[in-house]
Each structure stands twice: as C-alpha cells, then as structure tokens.
Amino acid sequence: MIHQGSTTELYHSPPSEELARYLGPTNWFDEKEVTAWFDEPANAPRHHRPEELTLELNESGTCVVEQARFLGSHQEVELRHEQQTRTVWLSNSKPPLQEGARGFLKALLLLCGLLLLAGCESAEGVVLPVESTRYWMLPKDDLALPAPRGMGMSSEQNLLVLDNGGRVLVYTPEGKLIRHWYMPEYDVGKPEGIVELKDGRIAVADTHYHRVVFFDKEGNVTGMFGELGNEPGQFIYPVGITEDDDANIYVCEYGGNDRIQKFDKAGNFLLTFGTFGESSQQFQRASGLAWHNGHVYIADAINNRIQVYSDDGNYVTAWGSAEHPLELNYPYDIAVGPEDTFYVVEYGSGRVTKLDEQGHLIARYGQTGIGIGQFNTPWGLTVDRQNHIYVADTGNRRVVLLNQ
C-alpha cells in the first residue's frame, strides 16, 4: 500500500513529494529550499498547492519571473532566485505576472479552503455542496488508456459511458464494470452521445459515421439509421441524443449543419429546427441536449448558451443571452436532475453548473485542473435519481462521481 487515508488528506498533507504529485501540480520545498525561497528558517519540508501560493510583487523582491504561463485554474512560473531557477505553480494574479517582475513567495491563508470542501459563497452563486467524490479510470484498450466522452443513465441506474476507444461501457453506480462492447466501426472517429430508450434499446449518436446506432442491453446491434448529408434524416457529425415521453428521438449535430432533428422511435424523420450561426435560433456546435416537460434544452457550446425549444420545434428562450444573462464557458452537455433542476458541464471552465427550471444559477462546482474538485476539458455528464452526478473528465482520462 502506497498511502492510507482520504484523498483530502493526500491533497493537503502528503507525506512525500512523489505522493503529492498523484493529485496534481504541487510546490514541494525541502528545508534548505524553504530557507532560500521564503527567506525564513525551516526544520521540515513545506508543501503548497497552486491555490495556496502566490508571488507578492515588490521591486526589492529576491525572486524574479523569467516566464509565466496561464493554465486556467493557476499559472506555471519559471522563477529565479539568485543563481537558482525552478518551476512553481501559483494562484492566478491580477494583473498577470510578466517577465522580469520581482517579488517574494508568499503562502496564502485560504479562509474558505478549497471550494469543493467549503460552502463559501462566490459572486456567481453558491458552491455546489458535494459530500464526497469518487474517481475511476476506464479499462485499458490494448496499450492505450481511453478517456470517457459521452454519458448516459440506464433504467436500472447503471452508468453508460462512451470512450474515445470506440467502446460502450456499462458500470454499476459504484463504478464496477458490468460489460462493454465496441461500436460497429470506429477507425475514422469515435461516438459522443448515448441514451437508453424507454423500450430498453441503447441509442448512440455515431458521430463520425453520421448515423444513430441501436443496441440491445448486451451490446448486439439491433438497427441504425442516417447517412452523411444535409437533408432531413441525414447527419453531419451527430453528437447528442435524447428521448421524450412519447418515445421520439432528438439528435443534435454540428459541422456547418448545426441543427436538431426529431424522429419517431423507428427513426422516421419528423421535423428539424435551428441553423448554423451566432444569432438567435442558430447554433455553433450544438453538443448536448436533454428533454424535459415538453421542452428540448440544447448546449450551444461555442455560443456559450443553452437554447430552449418546445418539442414541436418552436423557439422559447436562450440561457446565456442578453435577455437571460448567464455566464457559461463552452457548455458541452446538459442533463436533467431531480426536482426540475439542470446540470451543465462547461468544457472551457472545467466545472459543473446547476440551474433551476427557469435557467437561474443555483450553484457551481469545480475548476480547470487535474486535482480533486478539478476537471480538464470535461465532455459529458449525467445524473441519476439520487442526484448523483457523473462527469466525463476527458482530459484527465477519468470518470468522476459527485455525491451530493
């Protein structure tokens, strides 16, 4: 056993530098380095996560910035002290650090602690109260370690996962793999959208093959429809898929043909709405969608908004527009939670955002990074009946379970 204890303990108080780095960037200073870089005596090593360390600017400072790179949740800085140079990971600063800036390294006292461990309020709302988190990697595919992309929930409350190895994987709520199978073809690209239909079939938006594929619960192909094209019933990169209470299927697509198409359960075309663009009722990478109470909610990623339509194709509103302000950063997927709530995963900000049925902000969770409570280009999410949130943390190659 390498470490015994909680991930929180390992994150904040790791016994060694090697173990500290298991949960992301860290600043580890041995006794001599503490004395040199902090200009204070020390009889033990010190450890600071990026959010716990800053460079306090001062023209007489002994530390000089040689290079600084913005990394979303923090910054990576090449710092020189006398004849020594080292890389440090610091909290973001305003204004951003510039080459030649001087100052002193300073440990920060975080009154609220990490956002994921506290309930402190922010200007954007309240931090989502997550009681615990759980992470797991997908099984290897030969020598590769695939990353999750699409998420869905089965009627038995098992987790459905699509990965970039071309596989469909089924997990128990605790993260135990039940079964998996491969898409019929996956050499030219991997699928992104998955849903279990009311009749038990599993439908996959087979993105790079421009079609929808149906499986039974054992992974056998039972049918498919669609082909490459701009006409009704054809697709260019279908990425999101959902179903309404009448067993109609909705598919969103991108690639210059950004729109939503509606089909009956047999795959017969019913209607289409939306076009490509930045204006109202247009989409730029419609990447995920959900149906709820007679409305379709579409994650309009590049336009940084959620568009709402009636399920007969009439435009209702857009969350993230001038008429309905809401800060979103590349919303990539949307899921319906209990009690008429919605969850949006933001690819650009590495976070999960919770909204009420009117699109008003309730809470947020996460930031960009590789540690606890952080996500790296998250691609999809789903929510079960117990309000547990599953996130495809794609850039970190892991599934994240958030227990509220």
Side-chain angles (χ1 to χ4, degrees), residues 138 145-150 161-165 167 392-398:
L138 304 183
L145 183 61
R149 297 176 82 174
V161 179
L162 293 174
D163 71 12
N164 60 4
R167 300 181 297 183
D393 188 7
T394 306
N396 288 324
R397 297 183 177 275
R398 63 191 181 187

Side-chain angles (χ1 to χ4, degrees), residues 75-361:
Q75 54 189 327
E76 182 183 56
V77 181
E78 299 297 325
L79 205 59
R80 176 168 49 85
H81 173 73
E82 296 180 348
Q83 303 303 314
Q84 304 176 63
T85 302
R86 66 172 289 164
T87 300
V88 293
W89 287 270
L90 307 178
S91 61
N92 286 323
S93 58
K94 292 182 180 180
L97 293 177
Q98 300 295 324
E99 182 179 343
R102 305 181 70 93
F104 300 96
L105 280 178
K106 180 181 179 182
L108 295 173
L109 177 63
L110 300 182
L111 296 179
C112 287
L114 284 175
L115 290 181
L116 68 144
L117 299 175
C120 50
E121 294 187 5
S122 70
E124 296 181 335
V126 178
V127 177
L128 192 67
V130 173
E131 293 184 357
S132 64
T133 59
R134 182 171 183 175
Y135 304 81
W136 69 84
M137 302 291 189
L138 304 183
K140 289 184 178 180
D141 182 21
D142 195 10
L143 298 178
L145 183 61
R149 297 176 82 174
M151 292 281 190
M153 188 60 56
S154 77
S155 57
E156 296 92 353
Q157 299 297 278
N158 291 321
L159 177 66
L160 309 175
V161 179
L162 293 174
D163 71 12
N164 60 4
R167 300 181 297 183
V168 180
L169 305 102
V170 184
Y171 287 90
T172 67
E174 296 76 27
K176 179 181 178 181
L177 183 63
I178 300 173
R179 69 182 68 89
H180 74 277
W181 62 86
Y182 287 87
M183 295 296 297
E185 300 170 275
Y186 51 89
D187 289 339
V188 302
K190 312 306 188 294
E192 296 185 27
I194 186 167
V195 64
E196 182 179 298
L197 305 175
K198 289 176 174 54
D199 60 14
R201 293 179 298 166
I202 295 172
V204 175
D206 197 2
T207 308
H208 295 271
Y209 290 89
H210 316 291
R211 64 190 179 189
V212 172
V213 180
F214 298 104
F215 299 92
D216 63 21
K217 292 191 176 184
E218 299 303 315
N220 302 303
V221 175
T222 62
M224 61 182 72
F225 69 87
E227 60 183 3
L228 177 62
N230 293 300
E231 299 301 317
Q234 298 179 329
F235 301 107
I236 299 178
Y237 301 133
V239 287
I241 186 166
T242 192
E243 183 188 33
D244 66 22
D245 280 350
D246 295 322
N248 297 309
I249 299 168
Y250 303 80
V251 181
C252 64
E253 56 190 300
Y254 75 100
N257 196 37
D258 298 35
R259 61 180 177 176
I260 287 77
Q261 295 191 70
K262 179 179 179 179
F263 304 87
D264 67 17
K265 64 180 181 181
N268 298 307
F269 172 80
L270 298 177
L271 62 87
T272 184
F273 51 92
T275 59
F276 174 78
E278 301 177 2
S279 301
S280 176
Q281 305 181 53
Q282 293 186 316
F283 300 95
Q284 288 193 94
R285 206 185 200 287
S287 59
L289 74 171
W291 180 91
H292 182 63
N293 285 347
H295 293 86
V296 185
Y297 300 81
I298 306 104
D300 185 8
I302 296 176
N303 288 327
N304 297 310
R305 61 192 178 191
I306 303 297
Q307 295 209 51
V308 185
Y309 283 75
S310 66
D311 55 17
D312 55 4
N314 293 313
Y315 174 78
V316 177
T317 188
W319 303 343
S321 63
E323 295 75 25
H324 189 121
L326 175 66
E327 180 189 337
L328 295 170
N329 188 355
Y330 273 64
Y332 245 52
D333 202 6
I334 183 168
V336 182
E339 299 179 350
D340 298 323
T341 56
F342 293 86
Y343 293 86
V344 177
V345 68
E346 297 180 60
Y347 182 99
S349 291
R351 65 188 178 189
V352 174
T353 293
K354 182 178 181 179
L355 307 170
D356 66 18
E357 195 172 18
Q358 287 72 46
H360 299 134
L361 179 64

